[in-house]
Amino acid sequence: QVQVVESGGGLVQTGGSLRLSCSASGTIFELNTMGWYRQAPGKQRELVATVTSDGSTNYSHSVEGRFTISADMAKNMVFLQMNSLKPEDTAVYYCHAQAVDTLIAGTINYWGQGTQVTVSS
């Protein structure tokens, strides 16, 4: 079995900070990408930030300059430091991991259960 578990969500005031953590465990293929997505009520799930095995990062424009993603790919761990939080950041944040499956020449995607982040005005 594969488990992807997030932690670190909570309730903060506008301008506050939170640090999310995610760990993937179990027998899995080698990961090439880990990242964070979020979903607010009434909206589709959207990308927040990703990091690849070579260290390349990608951020949503809405969080660029405020959030920082980091990872230890060898340990299947990823983190998201969130600063200068705004009410519009309120959402359930999901950890995502992607692995290469050489048997089918494709990829496998894993998702965590989500952690709630609420920013009060």
Side-chain angles (χ1 to χ4, degrees):
Q1 67 182 44
V2 175
Q3 294 182 249
V4 180
V5 181
E6 308 102 327
S7 64
L11 173 64
V12 298
Q13 294 183 325
T14 297
S17 298
L18 285 172
R19 184 172 187 263
L20 305 183
S21 300
C22 174
S23 295
S25 63
T27 302
I28 59 177
F29 294 97
E30 182 178 355
L31 301 177
N32 59 28
T33 305
M34 296 190 76
W36 296 91
Y37 293 72
R38 67 187 182 187
Q39 186 168 23
K43 293 187 175 182
Q44 298 294 318
R45 187 174 298 186
E46 64 176 357
L47 179 146
V48 177
T50 61
V51 59
T52 62
S53 58
D54 67 357
S56 297
T57 58
N58 182 42
Y59 293 91
S60 166
H61 177 72
S62 64
V63 307
E64 182 73 51
R66 299 188 297 119
F67 293 7
T68 302
I69 189 170
S70 60
D72 185 340
M73 301 295 284
K75 296 182 178 180
N76 296 339
M77 299 177 68
V78 65
F79 310 91
L80 186 68
Q81 178 66 46
M82 305 186 293
N83 298 325
S84 302
L85 284 162
K86 306 174 181 179
E88 49 262 48
D89 294 318
T90 295
V92 177
Y93 284 69
Y94 296 90
C95 179
H96 169 257
Q98 183 181 84
V100 176
D101 183 351
T102 57
L103 296 179
I104 62 172
T107 59
I108 299 176
N109 295 288
Y110 305 100
W111 292 93
Q113 79 290 342
T115 185
Q116 178 70 48
V117 171
T118 302
V119 185
S120 64
S121 59

